[in-house]
Amino acid sequence: MNWLLSNFGSTFDFAAAGAVLAMGLFVSLSTGVLSFAPIPFAAMGAFFTSYLIVVHDWNFYVAAPVGVAVCAVFAYALSFVLLRMDSHYLALATIALILMTRILVLHAGDYSGGVFGRSVPHTVPTYVLYGLLVVSALALASLRKSRYGLAAEAVRHEPAVVATLGINPIKVQRTGFVVSSILAGLAGVLLADLYQYINADTYSSDLAFVSLAAVVLGGAYHWGGAIVGTAIYALIPKLLSYAWPDQQNILNGVILVVIMLLLPGGLVDPYRRAQRAERRAKERSAPPDRIVTAAAAEEAR
Amino acid sequence: MNLLVQQLINGVIIGAVYAVFAIGFALAFAVQGVLNLAYGAYATVGALVALWVHTSLGLDFYVALPLAIVATAAMSMAVDQVAFQPFRQSENGLLGPIITSIGVLLVSREVTRIATQAEPKQYGPSFFSQAVYKVASFRIPAAGLFAVAVAVVTVIGLHVLIRKTPFGASMRAVGADAVSASVAGLSPRRTTIYTAGIGGALAAVAGVTAGLTLSNVSFTLGDSLLLSGFAAVVLGGFGDIRGAFFGAMTLGLLDILGAQYLSTAFRDVITYGAVLVILIIRPRGLFGEVRYGAER
């Protein structure tokens, strides 16, 4: 146990913060919006919070909520513009936001630390980090069961049908977008705290790609996928790096391709589980019982 | 006034480089049905293969470019079959291939980083003429002329290929609906493989011309091309070669004029800000969506 913690403790810590970010990506994805906006929101949360802490000597527990709230307000305003766009256009627009954020950070001088970046004091205890991860996960779990969760899933699959049922798909997506920015802002703050140093390149398009990869790897149809995906994507390269220390990036890429090919639905896939439960129910009671299958599918949800 | 014209020329040259790349990217999206984030890596590979053929084998430009094209086309076809083909039967249509393309991007970037020892390189005068022609008082580098010529030939050639030939018809059919295309007696798989090859060839050409016009070949060459190419395709609208061409030209001009008249430091902010504004006004791109390739 001690060996495990001393070797993987920090890997787990980064994975915990990364998982919050991945959940942010997942939330907008779960309303059918492929958006990389969580990355600029992570940057916004991190730079705003660290500015308050470092320059104005604010307490972390006051500064962080303010930083995250700023993200939410910005996200709400931006959603009116961004959510009008179709999928690929929105993906590109949010990648453009990442690039623009980078340059704004570079030239914001004292507000961001500019080209020199900013040192951030490490203040978050481990239990708070994992506590926030659990709280985020619980929040998403309860959202999933809520009216909003049902609407989100419907919007993802059939926005036209949802609109005919009198639910505004854009409104559902806006809620998802704001929730996603809150998680992302929080993740940005946590990552900054763990790195203890942030600059314009900390929240890059590479981070966006790797986070999205973690979400889909873990399973893009359940919030647990974001956590499992991030953990796997942090641990496997770490383990393999003992065997091949120099080829980490190559291994990351190969792992990604192989897992996606073997498990196209991701590791946590409620639909596959539902199908399996259905099959098992069929085997148990032939001829197949419709009520049992529906119950099994409901249970797997 | 002279400065403006000179910068317009520079913008057209940059736009021409973007155009070849953007056309290949759009083609991959329309026919292969993949938002291929590894497409920039193809351009890097093409540029580096050409450099390697020239410096290590001592062969000149007219051998190096075709070899780079062949190598990159082969890579593109192999990646398509290994990383994208398995998703074509499944429901995870759009997201799965994006992820595997990220995987390919990571691998390819690392391999090219190791191969170049992360150092920026140049083609040099023995590879391609460094001449700069003077027309009136305007300077036009030979590499720039080459880039523009290649872009024009590519646009016209591909437009004719797609609109006027039987193979082009099968590309459009497969792009629109692979199942119906196979019912009509076409082989979607063969068409897709050939299209992947064409896409790889275009990426190699774009990579080499980018290396020539920017006088810089490094393992990150493709990353900036990918973003510009993506932006150009978004501006011009997916699904039409001419749209991608005009989108790329617009982007090249925005790039150069923004840097000249507004701010060099905020160059990318201006370019992508303009793209964002255009998307806000026209959420489906400048020219709307003329689809022959539907989402799959």
Side-chain angles (χ1 to χ4, degrees):
Chain A
M1 189 66 202
N2 267 339
W3 174 86
L4 199 70
L5 272 183
S6 62
N7 279 284
F8 294 105
S10 74
T11 308
F12 278 125
D13 290 353
F14 279 107
V20 178
L21 183 61
M23 281 194 275
L25 272 166
F26 161 78
V27 172
S28 60
L29 201 58
S30 72
T31 59
V33 175
L34 173 56
S35 150
F36 294 108
I39 307 305
F41 285 127
M44 185 184 284
F47 279 102
F48 202 85
T49 306
S50 64
Y51 171 72
L52 292 178
I53 293 175
V54 175
V55 180
H56 291 286
D57 279 331
W58 283 34
N59 183 310
F60 174 86
Y61 296 97
V62 184
V66 173
V68 172
V70 168
C71 288
V73 172
F74 250 87
Y76 184 73
L78 259 183
S79 71
F80 284 92
V81 173
L82 285 178
L83 291 177
R84 292 177 58 211
M85 298 174 196
D86 271 9
S87 57
H88 325 298
Y89 300 101
L90 190 112
L92 184 268
T94 50
I95 290 180
L97 281 182
I98 297 177
L99 301 174
M100 291 164 71
T101 308
R102 175 178 175 275
I103 296 180
L104 291 178
V105 167
L106 273 180
H107 293 92
D110 281 351
Y111 294 103
S112 66
V115 281
F116 303 111
R118 167 153 282 154
S119 297
V120 184
H122 177 55
T123 45
V124 180
T126 314
Y127 69 88
V128 173
L129 172 66
Y130 288 94
L132 286 171
L133 174 66
V134 171
V135 169
S136 309
L138 289 178
L140 291 194
S142 63
L143 270 185
R144 185 180 164 80
K145 294 274 157 68
S146 70
R147 263 181 77 87
Y148 160 80
L150 293 175
E153 195 175 345
V155 169
R156 182 179 200 173
H157 294 289
E158 295 289 350
V161 173
V162 171
T164 60
L165 289 173
I167 301 169
N168 185 348
I170 301 278
K171 273 193 179 161
V172 175
Q173 292 176 336
R174 175 165 304 132
T175 310
F177 196 75
V178 173
V179 173
S180 130
S181 78
I182 292 173
L183 288 172
L186 178 64
V189 174
L190 294 175
L191 278 174
D193 185 81
L194 288 170
Y195 283 124
Q196 300 180 43
Y197 171 77
I198 49 176
N199 66 11
D201 293 320
T202 308
Y203 304 93
S204 61
S205 50
D206 273 14
L207 181 64
F209 293 164
V210 170
S211 303
L212 177 69
V215 171
V216 180
L217 189 79
Y221 290 92
H222 192 285
W223 54 266
I227 298 178
V228 173
T230 315
I232 297 281
Y233 207 57
L235 265 185
I236 292 186
K238 174 89 178 158
L239 288 172
L240 290 176
S241 71
Y242 286 110
W244 298 280
D246 297 328
Q247 271 85 39
Q248 194 145 349
N249 276 318
I250 298 183
L251 287 172
N252 286 354
V254 173
I255 292 167
L256 211 53
V257 175
V258 169
I259 297 189
M260 273 322 286
L261 290 179
L262 295 180
L263 293 166
L267 295 164
V268 182
D269 186 350
Y271 296 100
R272 196 176 59 225
R273 261 167 48 196
Q275 280 172 358
R276 211 184 301 141
E278 202 169 322
R279 219 180 309 131
R280 231 177 283 131
K282 261 184 202 166
E283 280 163 13
R284 235 179 285 130
S285 61
D289 185 342
R290 280 190 145 257
I291 299 164
V292 172
T293 33
E298 184 53 47
E299 187 188 336
R301 264 183 55 83
Chain B
M1 187 61 204
N2 276 358
L3 182 66
L4 176 65
V5 176
Q6 179 65 52
Q7 293 296 23
L8 286 177
I9 293 172
N10 295 345
V12 167
I13 292 172
I14 295 285
V17 174
Y18 291 166
V20 178
F21 186 89
I23 289 169
F25 186 73
L27 201 64
F29 182 75
V31 181
Q32 291 170 264
V34 174
L35 196 59
N36 188 355
L37 295 177
Y39 195 71
Y42 298 174
T44 312
V45 169
L48 287 174
V49 168
L51 182 72
W52 178 77
V53 168
H54 177 64
T55 49
S56 300
L57 305 183
L59 298 168
D60 71 356
F61 177 75
Y62 300 98
V63 186
L65 183 63
L67 281 179
I69 289 175
V70 170
T72 315
M75 173 186 174
S76 171
M77 292 196 272
V79 168
D80 181 80
Q81 285 306 296
V82 173
F84 303 150
Q85 180 64 26
F87 294 101
R88 298 211 167 96
Q89 284 95 33
S90 80
E91 287 303 304
N92 202 0
L94 193 63
L95 218 45
I98 292 183
I99 303 303
T100 44
S101 78
I102 293 174
V104 174
L105 169 69
L106 292 177
V107 173
S108 172
R109 190 198 283 154
E110 187 66 9
V111 170
T112 48
R113 193 181 70 84
I114 294 169
T116 57
Q117 281 126 29
E119 281 170 20
K121 304 193 186 295
Q122 290 191 346
Y123 280 127
S126 59
F127 184 69
F128 195 85
S129 163
Q130 305 278 51
V132 176
Y133 302 112
K134 282 205 158 181
V135 181
S137 60
F138 306 119
R139 300 158 54 80
I140 305 174
L145 269 186
F146 176 71
V148 173
V150 164
V152 171
V153 170
T154 307
V155 177
I156 297 174
L158 274 179
H159 186 71
V160 170
L161 176 76
I162 290 171
R163 291 285 155 190
K164 311 281 181 202
T165 66
F167 178 68
S170 71
M171 280 165 89
R172 279 180 286 148
V174 171
D177 187 342
V179 175
S180 314
S182 64
V183 170
L186 299 169
S187 164
R189 186 159 185 178
R190 196 186 306 146
T191 308
T192 314
I193 294 177
Y194 289 151
T195 311
I198 296 173
L202 290 175
V205 172
V208 172
T209 47
L212 284 174
T213 50
L214 306 173
S215 315
N216 180 14
V217 186
S218 74
F219 73 100
T220 55
L221 176 99
D223 294 350
S224 54
L225 269 183
L226 178 72
L227 294 163
S228 314
F230 196 170
V233 173
V234 164
L235 273 183
F238 286 92
D240 193 278
I241 298 297
R242 292 166 295 177
F245 178 79
F246 287 115
M249 284 295 170
T250 313
L251 200 70
L253 289 171
L254 269 177
D255 219 15
I256 296 286
L257 295 180
Q260 174 69 39
Y261 291 104
L262 294 170
S263 158
T264 322
F266 289 94
R267 178 175 177 159
D268 283 356
V269 174
I270 295 163
T271 310
Y272 290 103
V275 172
L276 275 183
V277 169
I278 292 172
L279 277 181
I280 290 164
I281 302 166
R282 297 197 49 99
R284 287 173 170 236
L286 263 187
F287 300 99
E289 203 136 327
V290 194
R291 279 187 181 275
Y292 60 79
E295 287 166 73
R296 274 187 288 179

